[in-house]
Amino acid sequence: MKATRFLVAGLLGSAATAAFLTAPASAQTTDAHQAAPVVDDDNVIVVTARRREESIQDVPLSITAISGEALAKNGTLEITEIAQEVPNLTLEVSRGTNTTLTAFIRGVGQQDPVAGFEAGVGLYVDDIYLNRPQGAVLDIYDVERIEVLRGPQGTLYGRNTIGGAIKYVTAALPDETEIKVRGTYGSYNQADLIVTASTPVSDSLKVGVSGARLSRGGFGDNLVQEGVENYNKDVWGARGTIEFDNGPLFIRVSGDYVKDNSDPRQGHRLLPSAFSGAPVLDDVYDTRAGLDVVDQEVEAYGGGLTIAYELNDTMTVKSITGYRKDHSTTPIDFDSLPQADLDVPAIYRNKQFSQELQFLYEGDRLSGVLGAYYLDASAFTAFDVALFTTGALPAVGLPGLNAQTLGDVDTKTWSIFGDFTYDLTDQFSLSVGGRYTWDKRTSRILRTTFVGGYSDLFPPTDAVPIAVTSDFNGSATFKEFTPRASLSFKPNANHTFYATYSKGFKGGGFDPRGQTSQAPDLDGDGDIDYADQYEFLSFAPETVDSYEIGWKASLLDDSLFISLAAFKGDYTDVQIPGSVGVDSNGDGISDSFVGITSNAGDADVNGVEFEGRAVVGRNFAGPGSRLTFNWALGVLDAKYNTFIDALGNDVADQRVFQNTPDVTVNTGFDLGIPVASGIVDFLGSVSLRSDASQFELPGPLDQDGYALVDASIVYTDDSDRWSIGIHGKNLFDQRYIVSGYDFVTGSVLGLEGNLTAFYGDPRRVFVTGQVKF
C-alpha cells in the first residue's frame, strides 16, 4: 500500500507539473478522455445530467463525460472498462455471469443480482432506466458519450440512484448517407465486426441500423467438460433507429437486440478438494466446474420512443417511453468441481415498461424541468441448490438434497419531480428540486426441498418434492421525498464554485432467498404466524443525505481544466443481504442456505474527487500536433457506525464497505503527431486501485491494491474516413480478483468448504480498424 501511495503521488505530481510548465494560448480542443462530441459554438462540453443541455462546467455536481470518439481511440470494448477512468467507481461483471453488471459509486451499490434486491447505481440507455442488472454489461458501439453522475440522483433520476447514475447515450444519425465498418482482431482469437449504415430518406426523416458480431476465445478452459472454454465471448447484437425532425417536432424510435451464447463463466477454486484431493489449478482462468444441466444463454431486447415538441422559444414537452425484456439461464457451480457439492442452475426473466413525461423551460434567468414517471416491472428468479454428494464419502450423482428457490417480484413506481435553476444575479444561481415517489413491491417467495435430482425447472428430472419451506406472498408500499438544492457562484466565465445537498434512496422489499420456516416469534405472542414471517422477510428502503462542495475551472486560456469536489454522505438503514447455512435433514451438514437481509445500521461515506486535463503542447511538431495529460483521483473514507448482524449484535468495528477501495487513481496522456495525410496518437494510461473487500466481512477473497497499464497507437487520416490502431490492455498481466463466492468465512455451506474467485481480464493485445463510406 505504501508503494501505491508513492506511485500515486508521483503520477499526479508529474501530470500537474506538465500542466503548469506550458500554457499555450489557443482555443480548446476536443479532449480524448472527457469531452463529449455534443459541443456548442464556443467549444463547450455539453451534457444532459440535469435533463437539459448545459455546459459541464456549469453543472453543480460531480460528473465525468467520456465521448464515443475517446472510447474508440482507447480501444474500450465494454462499459465496465470506464471504471478505470472515473474516480470512486467500480464496475464489474457479476459473479458467475458474462453480462450481469455489478456497480458501485462512492461505496454504494448492490452485488447480488437476484430478483428482490435493487441496484444502488442507476443505468440509463438514452434516458430509459434499466431496472435489472441482467444484460447490462453493455458493449461499446454506436455510442455518442457516457456520463457518470456521482452522488445520489434521487430528484431527477429517482429510486435506486442512491450512489449515482450512468448514462449511456447512443449516437444520433448523421445528416448524410454513411456506412461504417469497424473490426477488431487480437489475443485469444478475438474477432469483432460492427457494421453501421444510415441514410436520410427525406429532409426530415433518417433511418439507421447496426449489427455486431463479438467473439473471443476463453482466457482459460473447463478441464472436465470437453470443448467448453472459460471467460470466452460469443455475442450477436443489433440496433435500429428512425429519426424524424421537422423543427418543432422531433421523434426518435429505437430498438436493440442482444444474444449471448458464451460458455459459462466459472470460478477458480482456491482450496484443494477435501474428498478427491484435486489440487488448486495453476491457471486462475481454468476451472473444473461440472454443472451442465442448463446452457449459459442470455437474450435481451427492447426499444424506446422519444417525442419532443417545442411549444415556443422557451418551452418544450418531451415524452420518453421504454420497454425491455430479457431471459437468461446460467449454471453456477459454487464449488468449481465435478461433484455436485453446491451446484446452482439458475433462471432469470425480467420485463419492464416505463413512461416519462417532461416539461422543459429555458428562459433568460429561469430554466428547469417538471415531470412525471411511471414504471411497471416484473423480475423472476429461480434456482436449485443441489447437494448430490451425501454422507462422509465422495460420490457423484447419488440421490441428494436440492433446495429450489423461486422469487417473483412485481414493481410499480409512480413519481413526480421538478428541478429548476434561477440566476439570482450574473454570478449567483440557485437550484432547487424534489421528487416524490410511490414504490409498490409485491413478492412471491417459494422454497421447496427435493430429493433425488434437479427440480422440474431443469428437466429431465426424477426429483421428488418432500417439503415446502416457504410459500410467501407479500406486498409493501414505500413513499419517499428526495430533495436537492445547490448554490453556484461564477466570479467569471472560467470558474464555478458550488455547494449542493441531495438525497437518494434505494427501494425496500422482501428477501427472495428467505425461508418462512426459519422465522422466529418476533412479536412475542407465542405463535409464529404470517405477521412474524412478513417481518422476518421484509426490509426497508435505505437512504443517504449527501453534502458536496466543489470547484470547476478552465484556466490558462482553456488549456487546463480542473474539477474538485469534497462530499459527505450520511447513509442510514443500510440494506445488508446475507445468508446462513441450514441443516435441513439434521445430519450436521449445511445443505442449503437462508437469506437474511436486514437494515443493519448507518454509515458515513466521505471523500474527495479531483479530475483534470491539461493541454501542454500544440503545433510543436507540425500543424495539428498536440500533447494532453489527464488525471483523476478519488479518496473515500467509508465506515459503518452501526452494523447489527443476524444475531442482534453490533459488529460495526468488524465490517467494511464491499467493492470500495479507499483510493482510485487514473493518469494518462495523448500525444498526437502529424504523419503523411493524418495524425498518429500515442496514448497511455495507468489506473490504480487500493485494497478492497469483496464482502462486508473481510476474508480471503479481498484484493490487494494493484495497477493496470494500457497503451494504444492509433492512426487517423485527415478526412476521418479511416483509422487503424493497436491496443494493449493490462500490459503487465496483472492478476486481480473482481468477485467470488466465500463459504468458509462466517457462513459455511457445502461439504467441501467452498472458496471460488473470478478474475479480471489478463493481458490482451488487439488491432482495430475503421472505414467510413
Side-chain angles (χ1 to χ4, degrees):
M1 186 65 189
K2 184 180 295 185
T4 300
R5 288 179 183 144
F6 279 120
L7 183 55
V8 169
L11 290 169
L12 291 176
S14 62
T17 300
F20 283 97
L21 283 178
T22 308
S26 55
Q28 174 186 349
T29 59
T30 300
D31 172 60
H33 289 274
Q34 192 171 355
V38 180
V39 177
D40 68 12
D41 293 337
D42 296 320
N43 290 322
V44 175
I45 300 168
V46 176
V47 295
T48 56
R50 292 196 290 181
R51 301 290 188 142
R52 57 188 187 267
E53 292 186 356
E54 55 188 335
S55 165
I56 194 172
Q57 294 292 112
D58 295 335
V59 181
L61 59 88
S62 295
I63 174 174
T64 301
I66 309 172
S67 71
E69 177 187 353
L71 294 166
K73 190 182 290 186
N74 284 282
T76 304
L77 302 176
E78 291 181 352
I79 196 170
T80 53
E81 297 179 48
I82 69 171
Q84 293 178 220
E85 300 184 43
V86 182
N88 294 326
L89 172 66
T90 296
L91 296 177
E92 301 290 357
V93 179
S94 296
R95 302 172 298 204
T97 78
N98 288 299
T99 55
T100 301
L101 183 67
T102 293
F104 284 78
I105 296 179
R106 293 181 176 177
V108 182
Q110 173 57 264
Q111 189 177 86
D112 203 321
V114 301
F117 295 134
E118 300 294 312
V121 174
L123 180 62
Y124 289 78
V125 177
D126 292 332
D127 279 335
I128 295 173
Y129 172 61
L130 303 191
N131 187 59
R132 300 299 303 151
Q134 283 80 26
V137 179
L138 304 174
D139 291 293
I140 302 295
Y141 70 98
D142 289 349
V143 60
E144 181 179 282
R145 70 182 182 278
I146 295 176
E147 299 177 14
V148 181
L149 286 57
R150 298 185 295 279
Q153 307 296 322
T155 295
L156 285 172
Y157 294 91
R159 57 195 284 278
N160 303 343
T161 57
I162 186 171
I166 300 171
K167 299 182 61 175
Y168 184 102
V169 182
T170 60
L173 298 180
D175 293 330
E176 299 179 353
T177 299
E178 181 180 278
I179 298 175
K180 182 170 65 177
V181 180
R182 183 175 179 84
T184 301
Y185 184 78
S187 303
Y188 302 97
N189 293 319
Q190 178 180 350
D192 299 342
L193 181 64
I194 300 168
V195 180
T196 301
S198 62
T199 186
V201 178
S202 67
D203 291 341
S204 305
L205 184 65
K206 306 174 190 175
V207 295
V209 293
S210 295
R213 171 60 176 146
L214 311 171
S215 65
R216 188 195 64 233
F219 301 146
D221 294 299
N222 189 312
L223 303 183
V224 300
Q225 296 186 45
E226 185 176 355
V228 176
E229 297 181 285
N230 207 21
Y231 294 84
N232 76 326
K233 191 169 189 176
D234 183 359
V235 173
W236 295 87
R239 182 176 295 143
T241 305
I242 301 173
E243 290 181 357
F244 176 83
D245 188 355
N246 71 352
L249 177 63
F250 174 81
I251 301 174
R252 189 175 200 251
V253 182
S254 62
D256 62 87
Y257 175 84
V258 173
K259 184 67 176 295
D260 183 356
N261 295 316
S262 308
D263 289 332
R265 180 177 293 214
Q266 303 287 11
H268 173 72
R269 185 177 175 83
L270 298 177
L271 299 174
S273 172
F275 292 135
S276 69
V280 175
L281 295 172
D282 292 332
D283 190 333
V284 299
Y285 300 106
D286 286 344
T287 185
R288 295 193 187 97
L291 179 59
D292 61 357
V293 300
V294 294
D295 294 328
Q296 172 81 29
E297 186 177 46
V298 179
E299 185 176 35
Y301 57 90
L305 170 63
T306 299
I307 303 174
Y309 186 76
E310 295 181 4
L311 300 174
N312 51 47
D313 292 341
T314 59
M315 295 186 65
T316 300
V317 61
K318 188 175 185 180
S319 168
I320 304 171
T321 307
Y323 176 82
R324 299 208 66 83
K325 187 175 183 180
D326 65 79
H327 176 273
S328 59
T329 56
T330 182
I332 306 172
D333 196 321
F334 279 76
D335 62 305
S336 291
L337 289 171
Q339 294 84 0
D341 182 31
L342 264 181
D343 284 7
V344 182
I347 299 171
Y348 302 93
R349 291 199 296 264
N350 305 298
K351 184 171 62 175
Q352 70 173 81
F353 169 82
S354 62
Q355 174 63 51
E356 183 166 343
L357 186 64
Q358 300 176 5
F359 295 91
L360 298 107
Y361 180 83
E362 191 75 32
D364 292 335
R365 287 196 173 273
L366 178 68
S367 59
V369 59
L370 185 67
Y373 179 78
Y374 171 73
L375 171 71
D376 185 354
S378 62
F380 173 89
T381 300
F383 55 88
D384 286 6
V385 179
L387 186 69
F388 297 162
T389 301
T390 60
L393 297 176
V396 179
L398 293 180
L401 290 176
N402 171 20
Q404 180 198 95
T405 298
L406 184 152
D408 196 355
V409 181
D410 291 326
T411 300
K412 285 185 170 60
T413 295
W414 303 262
S415 61
I416 55 174
F417 62 91
D419 189 90
F420 288 88
T421 300
Y422 183 74
D423 295 334
L424 302 171
T425 68
D426 291 341
Q427 294 180 322
F428 284 94
S429 296
L430 176 66
S431 297
V432 294
R435 189 185 195 102
Y436 194 85
T437 301
W438 297 263
D439 195 15
K440 183 177 181 180
R441 308 295 300 280
T442 302
S443 294
R444 167 83 187 281
I445 301 171
L446 178 65
R447 289 175 62 98
T448 307
T449 301
F450 290 79
V451 65
Y454 290 102
S455 71
D456 53 355
L457 292 174
F458 306 100
T461 180
D462 296 321
V464 177
I466 59 173
V468 175
T469 57
S470 281
D471 191 355
F472 175 82
N473 282 279
S475 182
T477 300
F478 308 100
K479 301 177 182 179
E480 194 73 44
F481 177 66
T482 48
R484 188 188 76 87
S486 64
L487 181 65
S488 299
F489 172 57
K490 290 180 67 69
N492 54 52
N494 296 322
H495 295 269
T496 300
F497 298 90
Y498 67 88
T500 296
Y501 162 78
S502 58
K503 183 176 183 178
F505 86 104
K506 185 166 71 174
F510 303 90
D511 192 315
R513 299 172 308 188
Q515 189 164 306
T516 54
S517 61
Q518 297 293 316
D521 181 13
L522 294 172
D523 56 15
D525 64 357
D527 180 33
I528 300 176
D529 53 16
Y530 178 79
D532 295 310
Q533 296 170 356
Y534 185 99
E535 181 69 19
F536 179 65
L537 294 180
S538 65
F539 53 90
E542 63 182 29
T543 62
V544 65
D545 291 286
S546 178
Y547 307 86
E548 179 173 318
I549 57 173
W551 169 48
K552 297 183 178 183
S554 174
L555 307 173
L556 303 178
D557 196 15
D558 291 339
S559 294
L560 176 63
F561 298 86
I562 289 175
S563 177
L564 176 64
F567 55 89
K568 172 179 172 57
D570 296 334
Y571 198 14
T572 58
D573 290 329
V574 184
Q575 297 170 7
I576 307 294
S579 59
V580 295
V582 174
D583 176 11
S584 63
N585 63 353
D587 65 358
I589 299 172
S590 295
D591 49 56
S592 185
F593 59 86
V594 172
I596 300 177
T597 297
S598 59
N599 295 95
D602 69 274
D604 292 331
V605 184
N606 307 323
V608 175
E609 292 166 349
F610 179 40
E611 294 181 281
R613 174 172 52 90
V615 184
V616 300
R618 291 189 182 97
N619 302 322
F620 56 87
S625 60
R626 64 185 183 276
L627 175 61
T628 64
F629 287 91
N630 63 277
W631 60 93
L633 169 66
V635 179
L636 270 181
D637 179 19
K639 63 178 181 180
Y640 287 101
N641 300 316
T642 305
F643 192 119
I644 308 300
D645 66 8
L647 301 177
N649 301 314
D650 187 353
V651 292
D653 60 341
Q654 304 170 32
R655 298 296 190 268
V656 297
F657 271 64
Q658 62 176 262
N659 290 299
T660 304
D662 293 339
V663 178
T664 54
V665 176
N666 175 265
T667 185
F669 70 90
D670 180 357
L671 172 63
I673 302 294
V675 174
S677 60
I679 191 165
V680 176
D681 284 285
F682 299 87
L683 304 104
S685 68
V686 181
S687 300
L688 301 99
R689 302 175 76 83
S690 63
D691 305 351
S693 177
Q694 289 295 325
F695 305 99
E696 282 85 7
L697 185 64
L701 292 180
D702 294 352
Q703 174 62 51
D704 293 335
Y706 64 93
L708 299 178
V709 177
D710 298 341
S712 298
I713 302 175
V714 181
Y715 178 82
T716 306
D717 80 314
D718 284 339
S719 64
D720 198 33
R721 287 291 181 181
W722 64 274
S723 66
I724 187 169
I726 181 169
H727 309 273
K729 301 289 185 178
N730 189 8
L731 289 176
F732 292 97
D733 208 19
Q734 176 74 48
R735 294 289 181 269
Y736 57 100
I737 296 173
V738 298
S739 60
Y741 301 107
D742 180 359
F743 290 108
V744 297
T745 303
S747 178
V748 178
L749 184 58
L751 301 175
E752 286 275 4
N754 293 297
L755 185 66
T756 308
F758 297 84
Y759 287 79
D761 293 358
R763 177 173 52 231
R764 294 172 296 133
V765 178
F766 52 90
V767 176
T768 60
Q770 179 171 292
V771 180
K772 295 180 184 178
F773 303 97

